[in-house]
mmCIF file of all heavy atoms in Angstrom:
data_model
loop_
_atom_site.group_PDB
_atom_site.id
_atom_site.type_symbol
_atom_site.label_atom_id
_atom_site.label_comp_id
_atom_site.label_asym_id
_atom_site.label_seq_id
_atom_site.Cartn_x
_atom_site.Cartn_y
_atom_site.Cartn_z
ATOM 1 N N PHE Y 299 -1.496 61.460 -29.986
ATOM 2 C CA PHE Y 299 -1.052 60.925 -31.328
ATOM 3 C C PHE Y 299 -1.509 59.549 -31.601
ATOM 4 O O PHE Y 299 -2.012 59.131 -32.626
ATOM 5 C CB PHE Y 299 0.490 60.982 -31.252
ATOM 6 C CG PHE Y 299 1.056 62.290 -31.489
ATOM 7 C CD1 PHE Y 299 1.145 63.183 -30.319
ATOM 8 C CD2 PHE Y 299 1.397 62.843 -32.671
ATOM 9 C CE1 PHE Y 299 1.729 64.521 -30.444
ATOM 10 C CE2 PHE Y 299 1.962 64.148 -32.850
ATOM 11 C CZ PHE Y 299 2.115 65.021 -31.738
ATOM 12 N N ALA Y 303 -5.605 60.818 -32.529
ATOM 13 C CA ALA Y 303 -5.402 61.016 -34.057
ATOM 14 C C ALA Y 303 -5.065 59.694 -34.647
ATOM 15 O O ALA Y 303 -5.275 59.650 -35.884
ATOM 16 C CB ALA Y 303 -4.324 62.084 -34.296
ATOM 17 N N ILE Y 305 -2.357 58.377 -35.445
ATOM 18 C CA ILE Y 305 -1.543 58.659 -36.727
ATOM 19 C C ILE Y 305 -0.665 57.517 -37.067
ATOM 20 O O ILE Y 305 -0.257 56.594 -36.218
ATOM 21 C CB ILE Y 305 -0.695 59.935 -36.503
ATOM 22 C CG1 ILE Y 305 0.423 59.730 -35.491
ATOM 23 C CG2 ILE Y 305 -1.524 61.157 -36.239
ATOM 24 C CD1 ILE Y 305 1.491 60.799 -35.666
ATOM 25 N N HIS Y 310 3.752 60.089 -40.748
ATOM 26 C CA HIS Y 310 3.855 61.173 -40.130
ATOM 27 C C HIS Y 310 5.402 61.659 -40.005
ATOM 28 O O HIS Y 310 5.683 62.820 -40.160
ATOM 29 C CB HIS Y 310 3.309 61.166 -38.663
ATOM 30 C CG HIS Y 310 3.384 62.394 -37.907
ATOM 31 N ND1 HIS Y 310 2.619 63.504 -38.358
ATOM 32 C CD2 HIS Y 310 4.006 62.828 -36.773
ATOM 33 C CE1 HIS Y 310 2.805 64.555 -37.435
ATOM 34 N NE2 HIS Y 310 3.715 64.216 -36.565
ATOM 35 N N ARG Y 313 6.738 63.354 -42.993
ATOM 36 C CA ARG Y 313 6.205 64.548 -43.158
ATOM 37 C C ARG Y 313 6.962 65.654 -42.194
ATOM 38 O O ARG Y 313 7.108 66.852 -42.663
ATOM 39 C CB ARG Y 313 4.761 64.630 -42.807
ATOM 40 C CG ARG Y 313 3.834 63.895 -43.917
ATOM 41 C CD ARG Y 313 2.357 64.095 -43.456
ATOM 42 N NE ARG Y 313 1.881 65.458 -43.829
ATOM 43 C CZ ARG Y 313 1.736 65.807 -45.119
ATOM 44 N NH1 ARG Y 313 1.901 64.933 -46.142
ATOM 45 N NH2 ARG Y 313 1.209 67.002 -45.426
ATOM 46 N N MET Y 314 7.322 65.134 -41.103
ATOM 47 C CA MET Y 314 7.997 65.992 -40.179
ATOM 48 C C MET Y 314 9.462 66.206 -40.546
ATOM 49 O O MET Y 314 9.936 67.453 -40.526
ATOM 50 C CB MET Y 314 7.859 65.461 -38.761
ATOM 51 C CG MET Y 314 6.487 65.294 -38.288
ATOM 52 S SD MET Y 314 5.390 66.836 -38.531
ATOM 53 C CE MET Y 314 6.160 68.003 -37.555
ATOM 54 N N PHE Y 317 9.012 68.924 -43.055
ATOM 55 C CA PHE Y 317 8.591 70.210 -42.486
ATOM 56 C C PHE Y 317 9.837 70.876 -41.944
ATOM 57 O O PHE Y 317 10.064 72.157 -42.247
ATOM 58 C CB PHE Y 317 7.623 69.997 -41.362
ATOM 59 C CG PHE Y 317 7.213 71.209 -40.595
ATOM 60 C CD1 PHE Y 317 6.400 72.171 -41.131
ATOM 61 C CD2 PHE Y 317 7.676 71.375 -39.303
ATOM 62 C CE1 PHE Y 317 5.962 73.249 -40.268
ATOM 63 C CE2 PHE Y 317 7.402 72.545 -38.543
ATOM 64 C CZ PHE Y 317 6.503 73.469 -39.101
ATOM 65 N N GLY Y 330 1.626 71.083 -46.597
ATOM 66 C CA GLY Y 330 0.686 70.608 -45.621
ATOM 67 C C GLY Y 330 0.038 71.756 -45.053
ATOM 68 O O GLY Y 330 0.292 72.876 -45.553
ATOM 69 N N ASN Y 331 -0.893 71.588 -44.150
ATOM 70 C CA ASN Y 331 -1.580 72.701 -43.611
ATOM 71 C C ASN Y 331 -1.612 72.526 -41.935
ATOM 72 O O ASN Y 331 -2.696 72.107 -41.453
ATOM 73 C CB ASN Y 331 -2.976 72.878 -44.139
ATOM 74 C CG ASN Y 331 -3.591 74.193 -43.757
ATOM 75 O OD1 ASN Y 331 -3.224 74.846 -42.769
ATOM 76 N ND2 ASN Y 331 -4.604 74.571 -44.480
ATOM 77 N N LYS Y 335 -4.830 71.529 -39.428
ATOM 78 C CA LYS Y 335 -4.842 70.110 -38.715
ATOM 79 C C LYS Y 335 -4.908 70.232 -37.230
ATOM 80 O O LYS Y 335 -5.680 69.426 -36.540
ATOM 81 C CB LYS Y 335 -3.600 69.344 -39.106
ATOM 82 C CG LYS Y 335 -3.458 68.912 -40.571
ATOM 83 C CD LYS Y 335 -3.259 67.457 -40.695
ATOM 84 C CE LYS Y 335 -3.598 66.994 -42.122
ATOM 85 N NZ LYS Y 335 -2.464 66.546 -42.958
ATOM 86 N N HIS Y 336 -4.324 71.243 -36.630
ATOM 87 C CA HIS Y 336 -4.248 71.307 -35.223
ATOM 88 C C HIS Y 336 -5.556 71.976 -34.646
ATOM 89 O O HIS Y 336 -6.012 71.638 -33.612
ATOM 90 C CB HIS Y 336 -3.041 72.128 -34.753
ATOM 91 C CG HIS Y 336 -1.842 71.336 -34.964
ATOM 92 N ND1 HIS Y 336 -1.127 71.393 -36.227
ATOM 93 C CD2 HIS Y 336 -0.996 70.447 -34.183
ATOM 94 C CE1 HIS Y 336 -0.066 70.601 -36.142
ATOM 95 N NE2 HIS Y 336 0.002 70.096 -34.886
ATOM 96 N N LEU Y 339 -7.923 69.054 -34.670
ATOM 97 C CA LEU Y 339 -7.605 68.232 -33.502
ATOM 98 C C LEU Y 339 -8.122 68.843 -32.232
ATOM 99 O O LEU Y 339 -8.630 68.063 -31.395
ATOM 100 C CB LEU Y 339 -6.005 68.128 -33.451
ATOM 101 C CG LEU Y 339 -5.380 67.030 -32.626
ATOM 102 C CD1 LEU Y 339 -5.926 65.675 -33.170
ATOM 103 C CD2 LEU Y 339 -3.898 67.107 -32.801
ATOM 104 N N GLN Y 349 -0.918 71.420 -23.020
ATOM 105 C CA GLN Y 349 -0.297 70.481 -24.081
ATOM 106 C C GLN Y 349 0.736 71.262 -24.807
ATOM 107 O O GLN Y 349 1.829 70.678 -25.198
ATOM 108 C CB GLN Y 349 -1.445 70.148 -24.971
ATOM 109 C CG GLN Y 349 -2.330 69.112 -24.424
ATOM 110 C CD GLN Y 349 -3.429 69.635 -23.518
ATOM 111 O OE1 GLN Y 349 -3.636 70.871 -23.476
ATOM 112 N NE2 GLN Y 349 -3.971 68.967 -22.526
ATOM 113 N N TRP Y 353 4.677 70.198 -25.154
ATOM 114 C CA TRP Y 353 5.240 69.943 -26.401
ATOM 115 C C TRP Y 353 6.494 70.780 -26.597
ATOM 116 O O TRP Y 353 7.616 70.197 -27.062
ATOM 117 C CB TRP Y 353 4.245 70.437 -27.558
ATOM 118 C CG TRP Y 353 4.571 70.096 -28.920
ATOM 119 C CD1 TRP Y 353 4.007 68.988 -29.660
ATOM 120 C CD2 TRP Y 353 5.473 70.727 -29.850
ATOM 121 N NE1 TRP Y 353 4.613 69.021 -31.007
ATOM 122 C CE2 TRP Y 353 5.474 70.015 -31.060
ATOM 123 C CE3 TRP Y 353 6.413 71.736 -29.695
ATOM 124 C CZ2 TRP Y 353 6.269 70.483 -32.131
ATOM 125 C CZ3 TRP Y 353 7.154 72.167 -30.737
ATOM 126 C CH2 TRP Y 353 7.091 71.527 -31.929
ATOM 127 N N ILE Y 380 5.902 79.148 -33.434
ATOM 128 C CA ILE Y 380 4.696 78.420 -34.068
ATOM 129 C C ILE Y 380 3.755 77.971 -33.008
ATOM 130 O O ILE Y 380 2.488 78.021 -33.258
ATOM 131 C CB ILE Y 380 5.249 77.364 -34.976
ATOM 132 C CG1 ILE Y 380 6.044 77.832 -35.988
ATOM 133 C CG2 ILE Y 380 4.116 76.538 -35.646
ATOM 134 C CD1 ILE Y 380 6.957 76.727 -36.873
ATOM 135 N N ALA Y 381 4.365 77.475 -31.959
ATOM 136 C CA ALA Y 381 3.471 76.771 -30.886
ATOM 137 C C ALA Y 381 2.527 77.910 -30.282
ATOM 138 O O ALA Y 381 1.293 77.779 -30.200
ATOM 139 C CB ALA Y 381 4.316 76.216 -29.739
HETATM 140 C C1 HEM U 1833 -0.102 70.482 -28.210
HETATM 141 C C2 HEM U 1833 0.943 70.368 -29.072
HETATM 142 C C3 HEM U 1833 0.786 69.518 -30.356
HETATM 143 C C4 HEM U 1833 0.057 68.239 -30.635
HETATM 144 C C5 HEM U 1833 -0.607 67.466 -29.548
HETATM 145 C C6 HEM U 1833 0.244 67.944 -31.942
HETATM 146 C C7 HEM U 1833 -0.387 66.868 -32.525
HETATM 147 C C8 HEM U 1833 -0.213 66.587 -33.939
HETATM 148 C C9 HEM U 1833 -0.903 65.515 -34.661
HETATM 149 C C10 HEM U 1833 -1.759 64.459 -33.894
HETATM 150 C C11 HEM U 1833 -0.681 65.641 -35.882
HETATM 151 C C12 HEM U 1833 -1.253 64.798 -36.973
HETATM 152 C C13 HEM U 1833 -2.470 65.302 -37.612
HETATM 153 C C14 HEM U 1833 -2.961 64.596 -38.880
HETATM 154 O O1 HEM U 1833 -2.173 64.115 -39.557
HETATM 155 O O2 HEM U 1833 -4.290 64.540 -39.015
HETATM 156 C C15 HEM U 1833 0.191 66.776 -36.100
HETATM 157 C C16 HEM U 1833 0.691 67.159 -37.319
HETATM 158 C C17 HEM U 1833 1.681 68.150 -37.505
HETATM 159 N N1 HEM U 1833 2.245 68.911 -36.475
HETATM 160 FE FE1 HEM U 1833 1.649 68.940 -34.468
HETATM 161 N N2 HEM U 1833 1.008 68.935 -32.535
HETATM 162 C C18 HEM U 1833 1.331 69.851 -31.621
HETATM 163 C C19 HEM U 1833 2.143 70.954 -31.810
HETATM 164 C C20 HEM U 1833 2.839 71.327 -33.032
HETATM 165 C C21 HEM U 1833 3.775 72.397 -33.204
HETATM 166 C C22 HEM U 1833 4.025 73.438 -32.114
HETATM 167 C C23 HEM U 1833 4.254 72.280 -34.432
HETATM 168 C C24 HEM U 1833 5.250 73.125 -35.225
HETATM 169 C C25 HEM U 1833 6.303 73.634 -34.624
HETATM 170 C C26 HEM U 1833 3.607 71.102 -35.101
HETATM 171 C C27 HEM U 1833 3.864 70.746 -36.382
HETATM 172 C C28 HEM U 1833 3.098 69.704 -36.971
HETATM 173 C C29 HEM U 1833 3.116 69.589 -38.384
HETATM 174 C C30 HEM U 1833 3.948 70.260 -39.394
HETATM 175 C C31 HEM U 1833 2.275 68.565 -38.691
HETATM 176 C C32 HEM U 1833 1.999 67.973 -40.130
HETATM 177 C C33 HEM U 1833 0.794 68.707 -40.682
HETATM 178 C C34 HEM U 1833 0.394 68.261 -42.072
HETATM 179 O O3 HEM U 1833 0.568 67.140 -42.403
HETATM 180 O O4 HEM U 1833 -0.176 69.079 -42.800
HETATM 181 N N3 HEM U 1833 2.811 70.514 -34.155
HETATM 182 N N4 HEM U 1833 0.408 67.310 -34.891
#
Side-chain angles (χ1 to χ4, degrees):
F299 288 83
I305 68 161
H310 185 63
R313 292 186 74 73
M314 300 314 293
F317 176 74
N331 193 339
K335 290 236 163 112
H336 294 82
L339 198 58
Q349 287 75 21
W353 189 102
I380 300 170

